[in-house]
Amino acid sequence: MIWNWEYTIEILPVLARAAIVTIEATFLSFFIALVLGLVLAVLRMSGPIVGWLASAFVELVRSTPLLIQIFFLFFVLPRFGIVLDAFTAGIIALSIHYGCYCSEVYRAGLEAVPRGQWEACTALNVSSWHTFKNIILPQAIPPIVPALGNYLVALFKDTPLLSAIAVLELVQTAKNLGSENFRYTEPMTIVGVAFLVLSLVSAVAIRWLERRLNRRSVR
Amino acid sequence: MTETVDRPMVRFEGVTKRYGSLTVLDSLNLDIGRGEKVAIIGPSGSGKTTVLRMLMTLERIDGGVIWVDGEPMTHMQKNGKLVPAEAKHLRRVRSKIGMVFQHFNLFPHMTALGNCIEAPMTVLGLPRREAEERAADLLNLVGLGEKKGHYPAQLSGGQQQRVAIARALAMRPKIMLFDEVTSALDPELCGEVLQVIRKLGSEHDLTMLMVTHQMGFAKEFADRVCFFYQGKICEQGEPRELFTAPKNERTQQFLRAVLEAV
Amino acid sequence: MGIPSLAAMLATALIAIAVLAASGDNAIFMPGLLEGAWLTVRIAVVGCGLAVITATAAALCRLYGPAPLRWLAVTYVEFFRGTSALVQLFWLFFVLPDFGIFMEPFTVAVLGLGLNVGAYGAEVVRGGIQGVQRGQWEATTALNMTRWQALRRIILPQAFVAMIPPWGNLFIELLKSTALVSLITMSDLTFKARTLNDFSMQTIPIFTLALLMYLVLSLTITIGMRWLERKSLRGMVRGRGR
């Protein structure tokens, strides 16, 4: 027997609940990553020492595996008296990891805004905070939305790593179901298909968004 | 096989080329004799470059037959009928043709010598030694014997174009096509390239077909000039005749505009 | 960053490892970690090799293959890019035995990671080939080269240069993904760090050492690829000389 439909129907509701955990983790982490990335990007552009430290941090995070970062946070934080459940620790690790990737994207976006925009604001005597918030950011963000969107999809595909610290997201749930029933084919395949479908849908959505944004900036 | 002497080297027989609904060449008939040097002139979009590109098989044709050296190139004889050519046939006939491009299209990852020995070795199967000797001779011919080891990026535009000519000659073609070979060059570099072509014309028994904007060169060098307009040959004849006393109104207009620009 | 500053970072990371290993009782962790790192390196190297081969094959099939091969290549790329690497590994590791296919964990690791990165690489190769100017193809036709000769001698060597930086990123991605094999019972660097941590509870030095070792490997890849790029650009200045 290659595929057991009865078993499939039995496990679908369990996997659906796990899918909600996966999606929650994705959006929560991505939201924090977006904020953190912007902060890191700004830090990297400000002052030589702070800038260097921020860059070194980003480089370190980007050069090492997410999985070991997850373990590190999960085991280290309790040492400092911070006891977090696995879900929260996992979210923090994902946020930091992708925050560093996002900071690169922000940096590219910010650097692409012509210098003349800053100069014009100086000439108009606008404070640098207002210049950044009201003039520079609104120009820097739209072109980088697709790149950020790609990282959202990448983050989504990395949420299975949370299974390593026993967060009951899709893959961990599939694994548990498999070991309980001695049958991995159905749960693992369903999870694979779920990831495939959601990634393909988001890829189409990003392409659509990209076209829309391009059209707007041309006008 | 003495009769081949009378056959044209290249024959376009009702050749048509379309891009979508746009007809670039409309049932073109043109014979080019053995050793003849033909210049093609005309406004942009008149289909003149397409003529060369079709002959080089860079463009498929939508109708008609192109003959090279007495045999069909775009087609082949099968049971007495002409059918579209197979790749093998196309390659065999194509080996008689060489082409020099407007933008040189040298291989940037190979030296001048490397560019000239590549095809002789891979396509003709020459041993390296022989290919290098042949390439060195040709680079000397185009006046670049000293630049053998230079990469294209280290050469001027004129030098690159001369390497491109040597590269094409290394395949020993019977027909050479020149597609606006000086258009991408600074004016002061055109002379050296034209000088090489002149030399080829006088010293070698090559059939040459060139698309050019250099009216002076066409007048002095070509045996015949064809003026293209909207996918058709509007007027053709000896350069002296065509340039000094054009019969067609379009030709007169075109020549007037070109001469004014100079 | 240029090669000198990357090399400086590499040296700093190595010194940091040495200092950390020499302080306290940390030296006892080193043999285990290094053993893990060696397995990580082996998986990464073989995985990268497999990735390059499948990527090239998939890209060529997609660009020049007959319809069924093209379709197969598109499916491969979309499938492996669409699902996550860990799901792929688990699928190979847990599901294939259901069909009576048993593989060594090392084979699963190399296959899973290599095919995953190969799918991304296929797009890099495709982009590299398509990025070569059309005039280069036309020149090969004018010289009567066959398609295959043109591809092998003229197009691929030029595409290769453009592909070096994105491949550098992919190799680093693959190196980082090797950590996933710790979840299918392989004792790589991440696995060793975890088990040493379970025994000794010396979380901070152990994980810091492991992170630094990954950093050293990543930097080595980056420097190697930069060097390769510079070497293959020798003579040909990009943007000119078409």
Side-chain angles (χ1 to χ4, degrees):
Chain A
M1 177 182 47
I2 287 173
W3 188 268
N4 185 338
W5 282 107
E6 228 169 282
Y7 180 37
T8 307
I9 288 162
E10 189 189 314
I11 60 176
L12 264 183
V14 188
L15 288 172
R17 265 195 304 275
I20 294 173
V21 177
T22 291
I23 289 169
E24 268 176 11
T26 305
F27 283 105
L28 214 56
S29 311
F30 191 64
F31 177 73
I32 304 172
L34 281 181
V35 177
L36 187 67
L38 186 56
V39 173
L40 279 169
V42 172
L43 283 179
R44 289 176 78 176
M45 294 166 85
S46 58
I49 295 170
V50 181
W52 188 86
L53 281 175
S55 296
F57 178 73
V58 169
E59 203 52 46
L60 178 68
V61 171
R62 281 167 24 110
S63 308
T64 53
L66 171 60
L67 183 62
I68 199 163
Q69 291 164 10
I70 293 175
F71 284 141
F72 189 57
L73 276 176
F74 189 56
F75 294 123
V76 162
L77 287 180
R79 302 252 133 172
F80 297 99
I82 308 167
V83 180
L84 296 172
D85 58 306
F87 184 78
T88 316
I91 298 268
I92 294 174
L94 277 173
S95 310
I96 293 176
H97 193 80
Y98 278 91
C100 287
Y101 277 99
C102 289
S103 86
E104 287 280 290
V105 177
Y106 280 119
R107 199 167 63 132
L110 290 171
E111 279 171 2
V113 177
R115 215 188 208 321
Q117 295 290 311
W118 282 100
E119 288 168 358
C121 291
T122 311
L124 292 169
N125 209 17
V126 182
S127 77
S128 33
W129 166 243
H130 268 91
T131 306
F132 183 72
K133 187 168 66 87
N134 298 335
I135 310 296
I136 305 300
L137 263 193
Q139 294 184 63
I141 301 291
I144 60 170
V145 167
L148 292 174
N150 285 332
Y151 280 125
L152 172 63
V153 179
L155 190 154
F156 166 63
K157 284 186 285 187
D158 267 347
T159 52
L161 301 204
L162 300 184
S163 68
I165 51 172
V167 174
L168 281 174
E169 46 64 69
L170 270 172
V171 171
Q172 180 66 8
T173 309
K175 218 175 125 192
N176 288 350
L177 285 168
S179 64
E180 278 163 28
N181 302 298
F182 305 105
R183 189 82 190 150
Y184 284 98
T185 306
E186 289 81 3
M188 275 301 166
T189 308
I190 294 170
V191 168
V193 170
F195 269 97
L196 187 61
V197 169
L198 285 172
S199 308
L200 290 180
V201 168
S202 12
V204 171
I206 290 167
R207 234 169 286 156
W208 174 80
L209 197 65
E210 199 166 358
R211 263 206 306 275
R212 250 186 75 116
L213 287 168
N214 280 344
R215 215 180 312 150
R216 197 156 19 132
S217 61
V218 168
R219 235 182 259 160
Chain B
M1 294 297 275
T2 44
E3 57 177 16
T4 56
V5 177
D6 311 328
R7 285 194 307 227
M9 196 65 190
V10 177
R11 161 170 282 177
F12 291 89
E13 191 183 308
V15 174
T16 299
K17 173 73 190 171
R18 292 185 208 92
Y19 291 117
S21 60
L22 178 76
T23 303
V24 190
L25 279 175
D26 191 5
S27 168
L28 171 73
N29 289 303
L30 175 65
D31 281 5
I32 294 156
R34 213 159 280 270
E36 196 183 7
K37 284 133 190 68
V38 176
I40 297 176
I41 61 170
S44 56
S46 60
K48 55 192 194 309
T49 286
T50 308
V51 175
L52 297 197
R53 294 176 57 83
M54 289 186 317
L55 184 52
M56 194 67 258
T57 70
L58 296 172
E59 308 277 355
R60 297 170 72 94
I61 61 174
D62 300 306
V65 183
I66 299 177
W67 299 71
V68 172
D69 204 5
E71 61 177 331
M73 176 174 72
T74 52
H75 296 67
M76 50 200 242
Q77 312 265 11
K78 215 171 203 176
N79 307 328
K81 270 170 57 182
L82 281 183
V83 294
E86 286 166 7
K88 210 174 151 192
H89 173 85
L90 211 57
R91 285 196 74 215
R92 190 174 58 74
V93 183
R94 188 165 64 197
S95 69
K96 297 174 181 170
I97 311 172
M99 182 165 180
V100 182
F101 298 87
Q102 180 179 358
H103 293 292
F104 332 138
N105 297 347
L106 288 181
F107 306 136
H109 57 304
M110 295 176 176
T111 61
L113 188 76
N115 266 279
C116 295
I117 63 171
E118 178 58 31
M121 282 172 64
T122 52
V123 178
L124 305 180
L126 291 192
R128 173 175 288 273
R129 188 87 170 268
E130 200 178 325
E132 280 182 354
E133 272 168 28
R134 185 187 282 194
D137 285 347
L138 288 167
L139 285 172
N140 280 328
L141 175 81
V142 300
L144 289 172
E146 309 284 282
K147 304 277 185 186
K148 271 198 293 198
H150 284 55
Y151 284 91
Q154 298 165 324
L155 300 171
S156 75
Q159 290 170 333
Q160 289 190 52
Q161 194 59 296
R162 285 187 279 153
V163 174
I165 294 173
R167 178 176 74 172
L169 289 173
M171 296 299 281
R172 300 264 160 95
K174 294 184 171 179
I175 305 161
M176 279 285 278
L177 312 179
F178 297 90
D179 185 14
E180 302 193 23
V181 290
T182 55
S183 296
L185 297 177
D186 293 332
E188 73 271 22
L189 300 178
C190 294
E192 61 187 63
V193 174
L194 296 179
Q195 191 53 43
V196 166
I197 298 175
R198 232 175 248 129
K199 202 159 138 194
L200 284 181
S202 59
E203 292 174 10
H204 293 257
D205 183 30
L206 279 167
T207 305
M208 294 194 194
L209 195 52
M210 66 187 67
V211 169
T212 185
H213 291 298
Q214 306 261 339
M215 297 305 150
F217 184 71
K219 191 173 174 182
E220 154 220 341
F221 183 75
D223 302 319
R224 177 159 49 128
V225 178
C226 299
F227 173 69
F228 271 71
Y229 189 81
Q230 289 185 345
K232 287 187 165 167
I233 299 180
C234 210
E235 183 170 355
Q236 57 176 318
E238 271 185 43
R240 208 166 303 275
E241 207 175 303
L242 189 130
F243 281 116
T244 46
K247 295 184 189 77
N248 190 290
E249 197 187 328
R250 298 281 182 205
T251 321
Q252 291 165 5
Q253 265 175 12
F254 175 74
L255 288 176
R256 215 178 303 132
V258 171
L259 293 176
E260 238 162 59
V262 175
Chain C
M1 259 188 288
I3 291 183
S5 52
L6 285 167
M9 255 177 103
L10 180 61
T12 316
L14 284 170
I15 292 168
I17 291 176
V19 170
L20 201 55
S23 56
D25 292 332
N26 292 342
I28 53 169
F29 303 130
M30 287 305 279
L33 289 176
L34 286 174
E35 201 183 308
W38 176 231
L39 180 62
T40 294
V41 168
R42 269 157 48 217
I43 296 172
V45 168
V46 183
C48 285
L50 179 67
V52 170
I53 294 168
T54 47
T56 310
L60 291 181
C61 285
R62 185 159 181 182
L63 283 171
Y64 309 116
L69 275 184
R70 221 176 326 155
W71 191 80
L72 192 72
V74 171
T75 313
Y76 159 66
V77 169
E78 292 303 323
F79 180 80
F80 277 87
R81 295 202 315 163
T83 53
S84 101
L86 186 61
V87 177
Q88 288 153 24
L89 274 184
F90 277 180
W91 204 88
L92 289 175
F93 191 72
F94 291 112
V95 176
L96 284 189
D98 279 358
F99 294 90
I101 302 169
F102 296 91
M103 287 186 286
E104 291 284 314
F106 186 84
T107 316
V108 171
V110 165
L111 216 56
L113 300 180
L115 290 179
N116 179 272
V117 172
Y120 290 88
E123 293 298 280
V124 168
V125 174
R126 191 164 70 108
I129 291 175
Q130 286 180 325
V132 176
Q133 275 143 343
R134 209 169 57 129
Q136 293 290 315
W137 279 108
E138 295 182 348
T140 63
T141 306
L143 292 169
N144 214 13
M145 294 168 90
T146 62
R147 240 166 131 68
W148 173 241
Q149 286 169 341
L151 197 64
R152 194 167 53 86
R153 301 282 308 164
I154 307 302
I155 306 301
L156 282 180
Q158 290 178 60
F160 175 76
V161 180
M163 291 187 306
I164 295 173
W167 268 113
N169 290 336
L170 286 179
F171 287 160
I172 290 177
E173 282 304 313
L174 194 143
L175 169 74
K176 293 198 292 173
S177 325
T178 57
L180 301 184
V181 306
S182 66
L183 303 176
I184 55 166
T185 72
M186 296 199 73
S187 24
D188 74 321
L189 183 50
T190 299
F191 184 88
K192 288 284 184 187
R194 267 208 69 183
T195 41
L196 287 170
N197 177 57
D198 287 346
F199 284 124
S200 68
M201 299 307 279
Q202 293 287 316
T203 309
I204 292 177
I206 292 171
F207 277 91
T208 310
L209 277 169
L211 284 170
L212 284 170
M213 287 180 186
Y214 277 114
L215 180 64
V216 165
L217 295 176
S218 295
L219 285 171
T220 310
I221 295 176
T222 311
I223 293 171
M225 296 304 274
R226 285 287 169 78
W227 174 82
L228 188 65
E229 187 186 11
R230 203 201 277 175
K231 203 174 155 236
S232 31
L233 269 176
R234 199 185 37 154
M236 58 186 273
V237 179
R238 271 211 266 169
R240 277 194 68 194
R242 343 193 204 190

